[in-house]
Amino acid sequence: MTPFGWLVTGFGLFMAGVCLFTYVQIERHAHQNRQRRLARERDGIAQQVQQTP
C-alpha cells in the first residue's frame, strides 16, 4: 500500500475512534441523567410518605 493509502487508513481509524468515544460519552451522560431522575423521584416519594400523618 502507498504511504497515502496508509495515511487515509490511519485517519479513518482515528475518526472511528473519535466517533466511538463520542457515542460512549453521550450514552454515559444519558445514563447518569436517568439515574439522577430516578433517584430524585424515589427521594420525592420517600419524603411524601414521611410527611403523611
Side-chain angles (χ1 to χ4, degrees):
M1 196 162 22
T2 65
F4 182 71
W6 283 110
L7 184 69
V8 169
T9 303
F11 183 73
L13 289 172
F14 172 73
M15 290 309 295
V18 169
C19 289
L20 180 63
F21 175 79
T22 303
Y23 172 77
V24 168
Q25 292 300 312
I26 290 169
E27 288 298 315
R28 184 171 165 255
H29 182 70
H31 178 71
Q32 286 177 346
N33 282 343
R34 247 187 324 273
Q35 295 299 102
R36 286 186 191 125
R37 182 174 40 83
L38 290 172
R40 274 197 307 266
E41 289 173 0
R42 187 178 56 237
D43 291 345
I45 291 170
Q47 287 176 358
Q48 288 174 359
V49 169
Q50 290 174 354
Q51 290 175 357
T52 307

